[in-house]
Every structure is written in C-alpha cells, then in structure tokens.
Amino acid sequence: MIEGLMQTASPYGCDETVERLKAAAAAVPMGLVAHINGQANAAKKGLAVDCDQILEVFRPDFAVRVWAARKEAGLDIPLRLHIYALGGRTMVAYRRPSRVFAPYGHPDLDVLGAELDAIFTGIIERALVF
C-alpha cells in the first residue's frame, strides 16, 4: 500500500460515483477545478477504457494559504480524486492532503493538511453514503 493513499470501493457505477462526488464536493464546499474524463478522451481516439476519471478540487482561500506558507507547494494543488474500475468495481482513490503537504515541512501546511483530510473524508462519506 502506498503511504497516504486512500482507496475505497463505491457502491455505485462510474458515472453515478462521479456525479455524487461532484455534488459532495460542492456541498462541503469545495470547488471543482477540473473534470478529466479519461474514458471519454480515449473514446475520441477509438479506444475503449473502463471507468477512469479524475476530479480536481480545491478552493481559492485554501490556495492562498498554501502559497503563503510555501509557494512551491502550489505544485500540489488542486487535490485529486481518481475514479476508476478495478476488478469489476468502481473505486475512488486520493492522497491524504496531510501527506501531500508533509514534505514541505511547514506548520501552516500541516494545519491545512489536517483540515483538508477531514474535508476529503467528508466528501467520500457524503458521496458514497457509508
């Protein structure tokens, strides 16, 4: 297992999982920065790919806090949710924000990472209804 990588199976299909995650992110509230649909992009080239999508989420107020702490940490925002098929199931994975920001060694990023850990846990719980 990769340290800080959170993975869970969704009880829903790919598209419904994606839509539920978008709604959950908006409800907490986090902004949807980008939706990268790997399966749709592959289809444009005539390639069939099972569920493989990425949602990039963040908020401007969090971005300002990242930049104020360590400008270089801007490389790691927005944060991502990866929705994919594995073994006939729809999976959701993300890197815990506290682990994303830990290498920068800044106490403000440690605080922000902990806040974002709780937010991302909330997104998953809300979307997948545990």
Side-chain angles (χ1 to χ4, degrees), residues 5 12 27 35 46 50 52 70 73 75-76 94 102:
L5 182 66
Y12 308 103
H35 176 184
D50 286 338
D52 201 296
R70 288 291 300 266
L75 176 65
D76 286 314
Y94 67 95

Side-chain angles (χ1 to χ4, degrees), residues 12 20-29 119-130:
Y12 308 103
R20 292 178 70 88
L21 286 165
K22 285 180 181 180
V28 292
I119 289 171
F120 271 69
T121 297
I123 291 170
I124 298 301
E125 288 175 350
R126 183 183 293 261
L128 304 185
V129 190
F130 291 117

Side-chain angles (χ1 to χ4, degrees), residues 19-89:
E19 292 309 312
R20 292 178 70 88
L21 286 165
K22 285 180 181 180
V28 292
M30 289 290 279
L32 180 64
V33 177
H35 176 184
I36 303 164
N37 188 329
Q39 62 200 99
N41 290 335
K44 291 176 186 174
K45 299 292 184 185
L47 303 169
V49 175
D50 286 338
C51 178
D52 201 296
Q53 300 185 40
I54 294 173
L55 300 179
E56 294 184 333
V57 298
F58 217 63
R59 282 189 351 215
D61 58 314
F62 289 147
V64 169
R65 289 172 62 188
V66 169
W67 299 328
R70 288 291 300 266
K71 197 68 165 177
E72 307 93 327
L75 176 65
D76 286 314
I77 58 175
L79 298 170
R80 297 172 137 208
L81 296 163
H82 185 199
I83 304 92
Y84 58 96
L86 182 67
R89 300 180 80 179

Side-chain angles (χ1 to χ4, degrees), residues 109-123:
L109 291 177
D110 294 340
V111 169
L112 179 59
E115 288 176 43
L116 287 164
D117 282 353
I119 289 171
F120 271 69
T121 297
I123 291 170

